[in-house]
Amino acid sequence: MCALLSVVVLAALVAAAAQAQVRPVRPGDESLLKRAPTYEEQVAAQVAARLTHLHPQVRCAPLGIPGLPSSVLGVTLFLGTHPAGYFLMVPQMCADLAAFHRSPASFDPRACTDGTCLTTDAAVAMALATVSHESYHLLGYTNEAQVECYGMQSIWFVASKLGASLDEAQAIAKFYATQIYPLRQTQTPAYWTPECRDGGKYDLRPQSDSWPS
Ligand SMILES: [Zn+2]
């Protein structure tokens, strides 16, 4: 029952969410980038900066792209084949990151035993994954399956920079890898590859047996 519920809750969440895309840069974003970043945007940008060794800007705002499914959570803008140095996330992502930053231990999947916390833990894991996913786009990667796999291996980093203990950060990454990532094979197949595993083609730490952190 519990396992079934988990799959249903998570499948709904992944079906409804968790895509991130690459889009051509838009002149309309200029005013968005000019306004001072909120605290949450600064936090996300700092984490993305540490992950990429770049100086990206992050803004949370409605993505405002006609025809874009409401399921898309983040967009990294490109100038031709080069990342333009910023990404956008839907406002809910900033809210989830802020909640996590305020109280990381409240979103520890190891402490979750019912459907309610499963939903909030999964939403937070998705927000952390969105920051790391978009960060790999900032580095110039555009293959979604590759970006998603690299991003998953950096969820622990994002979580720990936002205040989680190393143990919890790794547990969140494991939760994502075991509960959320497998659903992508059917829900968002462009974001899934069998090579995303310990020892697979996209394993960033092939000499290490731990996965995905
Ligand atoms: Zn993407």
Side-chain angles (χ1 to χ4, degrees):
M1 179 64 192
C2 234
L4 180 64
L5 176 69
S6 307
V7 170
V8 171
V9 167
L10 292 172
L13 203 78
V14 172
Q19 297 177 56
Q21 297 196 346
V22 165
R23 290 279 162 154
V25 72
R26 305 163 299 172
D29 288 337
E30 242 171 69
S31 56
L32 192 59
L33 294 170
K34 259 186 209 151
R35 76 151 164 77
T38 64
Y39 177 72
E40 287 74 30
E41 289 167 345
Q42 288 180 48
V43 168
Q46 280 164 15
V47 172
R50 291 199 208 176
L51 196 49
T52 58
H53 302 293
L54 300 171
H55 302 283
Q57 285 188 288
V58 177
R59 291 293 183 275
C60 286
L63 302 179
I65 298 173
L68 198 67
S70 61
S71 57
V72 175
L73 297 178
V75 176
T76 299
L77 291 303
F78 271 58
L79 278 165
T81 55
H82 296 283
Y86 68 101
F87 64 79
L88 308 178
M89 294 190 294
V90 297
Q92 187 58 44
M93 293 296 96
C94 265
D96 289 339
L97 291 175
F100 183 76
H101 193 40
R102 271 195 301 273
S103 178
S106 305
F107 301 94
D108 189 333
R110 294 170 299 181
C112 180
T113 53
D114 64 44
T116 308
C117 59
L118 187 69
T119 306
T120 52
D121 289 359
V124 159
M126 210 84 90
L128 300 171
T130 302
V131 173
S132 54
H133 180 107
E134 300 304 337
S135 291
Y136 282 95
H137 281 314
L138 285 173
L139 289 170
Y141 295 99
T142 55
N143 174 331
E144 292 295 357
Q146 180 180 21
V147 166
E148 176 64 10
C149 190
Y150 288 171
M152 183 166 77
Q153 294 173 71
S154 296
I155 289 172
W156 71 272
F157 182 88
V158 176
S160 96
K161 291 300 168 225
L162 288 173
S165 68
L166 192 55
D167 266 12
E168 185 192 349
Q170 290 176 338
I172 293 170
K174 190 160 199 137
F175 170 71
Y176 190 94
T178 57
Q179 305 292 312
I180 297 177
Y181 187 76
L183 298 170
R184 289 197 172 285
Q185 186 174 5
T186 50
Q187 307 280 352
T188 54
Y191 292 74
W192 184 89
T193 166
E195 289 302 330
C196 188
R197 57 183 162 79
D198 188 23
K201 180 176 161 194
Y202 295 129
D203 183 350
L204 290 171
R205 295 171 282 270
Q207 69 282 28
S208 155
D209 284 341
S210 83
W211 178 263
S213 301

